[in-house]
Amino acid sequence: MEIEPAEEVKEPPRIHRLDESVVNRIAAGEVIQRPVSAVKELVENSLDASSTSISVLVKDGGLKLIQVSDDGHGIRYEDLPILCERHTTSKLSKYEDLQSIKSMGFRGEALASMTYVGHVTVTTITRGQLHGYRVSYRDGVMENEPKACAAVKGTQIVIENLFYNMIARRKTLQNSADDYTKIVDLLSRFAIHHIDVSFSCRKHGAARADVHSVATPSRLNAIRSVYGLLVAQNLIKIEASDNDPSSSVFEMDGFISNSNYVAKKTTMVLFINDRLVECTALKRALEVVYVATLPKASKPFIYMSITLPPEHVDVNVHPTKREVSLLNQEVIVEKMQSVVESVLRNSNESRTFQEQTVEATPSVPSVTNNDLHLSPSPSGSKSQRVPVNKIVRTDSSDPAGRMHAYLYKNPQKYLGRDSSLTTVRSSVRQRRNLKETADLTSIQELINDIDSKCHSDLLDIVRQSTYVGMADDVFALLQHNTHLYLANVVNLRAGVKKASVETHSKIHLLGIFCRFYHN
């Protein structure tokens, strides 16, 4: 009998303290998720510094270079050594300060996180200084002492080789065009809210900025300069407020799109206490209103600025401060929804559509067999065939439905022959009223001969028929009452021109063709 070996008892793994550099790099990956996250943190720092002008320069979607320059109050020389250390900030000093925080930054993690995933260089100057200082940071500490340099008012922060030490993250961000689009969208949102600040964003090496806004007292002008005239002219101003402490206390103003605005996706720009955030519940609630009220404009453009007491907003719920938690959020969302629905239903604007005018096809005196073939123009290029959309008959009285509009012709032949509009009109009248305009007795006899020898039933079918379209290159479709007929247009026209045909047959065919063509 074999004895089974006793199972080895494994001891629980030991718990050890992570190295500080590992902790900082993990935290940096949460705060700086992609290049647009770094731009957002830097722009918010510039706004906290009371800047009136902010410019952003981007290379390769932000992976190679991100440069943010502002004209704010700058950074003191004494603060440069700890500028990029974790949890160093000038926004608060104790936890209770979060209850009344008004600045956009407060954790002191943004700059520190950037130094752990990229190479950061800061150039700054404060008021009253004769020169500025430039210093580089890596892994949260200065690489060298600050060096005196020439500088303009404010601060310039440059981030190079973002995610150079995070291979997996960098490989997932190779689509630089997508990241640059996100950065442009971010700056556009800041530009229409902070209308007293000038914003600029462009690619490295580009002469023209993709976002360029100047300070303006009108928010609608800011929207027009950033999102365009088509968006600005289709907006409705909205306002709402509530001062009931038992339910909700807030003030809201903004713009929403009307029934004429059409877009493929919803654009919602939401600021709560001047902080750019996202609120999925509010966005879905407003989309439901648009779908129910304006089915044709279910993808709206919405800008909202909501002001609440600071103690009613919890800003510390997301590493990138993208979301906030509101007191009585459901009540606030419901009231916003009712206000938007009321404004949309009470708006007197109706949806308008642009009309496209279709030019009538000019009458052509005659059509010959040679016109069926394409002939080169004087410039040497081939003339275009009749577009397919014009071979669809929609109205029996529409000139585009008459037979000559569907036959290939060479307009150059008639240009030299009948250059006068009066001559063309006279020719048309003569062909339509042969008996009245004929002066020769032989012509009158020919017409009488045609009338007497025409097949009355066939003539009635051709005269009262409606031209449907060309079935192919030979047969044309004619409708008479409830019947469809195929007319061999090629043989019909060949019979008119062929001299060897008997006289009576030729007259018969000529009469049918003339009455068909002109009636």
Side-chain angles (χ1 to χ4, degrees):
M1 183 177 181
E2 297 182 359
I3 300 176
E4 295 181 358
E7 295 183 359
E8 296 183 1
V9 179
K10 295 183 179 180
E11 296 183 359
R14 295 184 60 183
I15 298 175
H16 60 278
R17 182 176 286 104
L18 286 175
D19 187 72
E20 186 176 358
S21 62
V22 177
V23 175
N24 292 334
R25 190 171 297 179
I26 293 174
E30 296 177 351
V31 177
I32 309 300
Q33 298 176 353
R34 54 191 315 135
V36 67
S37 304
V39 175
K40 180 176 183 292
E41 296 288 351
L42 295 178
V43 170
E44 288 179 344
N45 285 343
S46 297
L47 292 172
D48 286 339
S50 304
S51 303
T52 60
S53 177
I54 301 174
S55 61
V56 179
L57 180 66
V58 179
K59 183 177 181 181
D60 287 351
L63 294 180
K64 286 288 185 66
L65 173 71
I66 296 176
Q67 176 182 298
V68 178
S69 306
D70 63 63
D71 61 349
H73 53 58
I75 302 170
R76 299 195 316 163
Y77 174 79
E78 295 79 8
D79 296 334
L80 289 176
I82 64 170
L83 175 66
C84 292
E85 290 185 6
R86 290 193 69 193
H87 308 306
T88 57
T89 180
S90 60
K91 314 299 173 59
L92 54 82
S93 56
K94 57 184 183 295
Y95 181 79
E96 287 72 20
D97 293 341
L98 278 176
Q99 303 298 323
S100 59
I101 193 74
K102 294 183 178 180
S103 61
M104 280 170 273
F106 55 88
R107 292 196 186 101
E109 285 188 308
L111 283 176
S113 299
M114 296 174 197
T115 62
Y116 283 98
V117 294
H119 303 142
V120 178
T121 302
V122 178
T123 304
T124 185
I125 186 173
T126 57
R127 178 181 297 181
Q129 286 185 332
L130 299 178
H131 56 79
Y133 292 94
R134 179 175 296 149
V135 60
S136 299
Y137 295 88
R138 180 172 295 186
D139 294 339
V141 298
M142 291 193 308
E143 291 187 313
N144 45 49
E145 291 296 321
K147 296 180 180 179
C149 66
V152 296
K153 178 187 176 184
T155 303
Q156 181 186 87
I157 299 180
V158 177
I159 306 174
E160 298 176 289
N161 300 322
L162 192 62
F163 303 122
Y164 73 97
N165 53 0
M166 301 176 68
I167 306 301
R169 179 75 61 87
R170 193 176 180 88
K171 286 183 178 180
T172 60
L173 300 174
Q174 291 301 319
N175 190 357
S176 59
D178 183 49
D179 285 287
Y180 182 71
T181 302
K182 294 179 182 296
I183 295 173
V184 169
D185 179 66
L186 174 73
L187 268 294
S188 301
R189 293 168 183 262
F190 276 119
I192 67 173
H193 180 75
H194 298 279
I195 57 177
D196 55 341
V197 181
S198 300
F199 289 89
S200 173
C201 178
R202 66 182 177 90
K203 287 183 179 180
H204 182 269
R208 183 179 178 181
D210 293 287
V211 176
H212 181 71
S213 67
V214 296
T216 175
S218 172
R219 195 175 308 280
L220 195 60
N221 288 339
I223 296 176
R224 183 181 297 109
S225 64
V226 174
Y227 286 96
L229 179 62
L230 291 178
V231 176
Q233 68 183 4
N234 291 318
L235 296 182
I236 307 173
K237 185 174 179 58
I238 57 171
E239 294 180 345
S241 61
D242 191 4
N243 295 318
D244 186 2
S246 60
S247 59
S248 61
V249 178
F250 70 91
E251 291 182 359
M252 181 272 289
D253 67 273
F255 291 90
I256 60 174
S257 57
N258 58 20
S259 58
N260 291 320
Y261 179 79
V262 179
K264 295 182 179 180
K265 64 177 181 178
T266 301
T267 301
M268 182 167 182
V269 184
L270 176 62
F271 281 83
I272 297 180
N273 289 358
D274 293 331
R275 187 185 301 276
L276 178 62
V277 296
E278 296 179 0
C279 183
T280 304
L282 179 59
K283 182 178 179 181
R284 290 178 178 174
L286 298 183
E287 286 179 336
V288 169
V289 172
Y290 271 84
V291 171
T293 309
L294 304 174
K296 297 297 183 181
S298 57
K299 301 298 182 182
F301 177 93
I302 302 171
Y303 162 77
M304 280 188 178
S305 177
I306 305 174
T307 304
L308 300 100
E311 60 272 14
H312 291 183
V313 184
D314 186 3
V315 298
N316 191 28
V317 297
H318 195 276
T320 62
K321 305 183 291 293
R322 187 179 64 187
E323 299 175 2
V324 294
S325 179
L326 307 179
L327 186 65
N328 301 321
Q329 177 172 311
E330 294 182 358
V331 177
I332 294 175
V333 169
E334 184 178 354
K335 290 185 177 181
M336 300 284 185
Q337 188 180 31
S338 62
V339 169
V340 172
E341 183 178 7
S342 176
V343 170
L344 288 177
R345 292 189 180 277
N346 294 331
S347 64
N348 294 325
E349 297 183 5
S350 60
R351 194 174 185 197
T352 58
F353 298 88
Q354 294 183 352
E355 296 182 357
Q356 182 179 3
T357 58
V358 180
E359 296 183 359
T361 305
S363 299
V364 181
S366 61
V367 182
T368 62
N369 237 7
N370 296 332
D371 297 334
L372 289 175
H373 305 283
L374 295 176
S375 59
S377 61
S379 60
S381 60
K382 293 185 177 180
S383 59
Q384 298 295 325
R385 297 173 66 90
V386 178
V388 177
N389 62 332
K390 288 191 177 181
I391 308 182
V392 178
R393 184 179 181 87
T394 58
D395 187 2
S396 60
S397 62
D398 186 2
R402 296 174 187 168
M403 184 175 180
H404 60 73
Y406 299 88
L407 301 177
Y408 304 128
K409 54 189 175 296
N410 185 5
Q412 297 295 332
K413 292 185 177 182
Y414 312 109
L415 185 61
R417 184 186 304 173
D418 297 315
S419 57
S420 174
L421 182 61
T422 305
T423 306
V424 174
R425 289 177 176 174
S426 176
S427 175
V428 172
R429 284 195 296 269
Q430 290 177 7
R431 291 198 308 271
R432 292 183 177 179
N433 303 288
L434 295 177
K435 292 183 179 181
E436 298 178 4
T437 59
D439 296 331
L440 300 177
T441 306
S442 59
I443 295 180
Q444 292 287 353
E445 293 177 354
L446 181 62
I447 294 174
N448 294 333
D449 193 12
I450 292 175
D451 289 337
S452 62
K453 295 183 178 181
C454 281
H455 194 285
S456 59
D457 294 336
L458 180 60
L459 181 62
D460 181 66
I461 291 175
V462 175
R463 178 181 294 171
Q464 302 299 328
S465 66
T466 301
Y467 177 70
V468 178
M470 294 298 296
D472 52 25
D473 294 338
V474 177
F475 292 98
L477 274 175
L478 307 177
Q479 180 178 349
H480 180 258
N481 294 333
T482 59
H483 300 281
L484 279 176
Y485 298 91
L486 281 175
N488 192 320
V489 181
V490 176
N491 289 345
L492 185 65
R493 295 163 73 198
V496 174
K497 293 191 65 178
K498 194 171 182 181
S500 59
V501 180
E502 294 181 359
T503 304
H504 293 294
S505 300
K506 182 167 64 174
I507 293 174
H508 189 191
L509 288 172
L510 180 61
I512 294 176
F513 180 73
C514 290
R515 285 168 173 75
F516 164 71
Y517 185 76
H518 296 295
N519 292 321

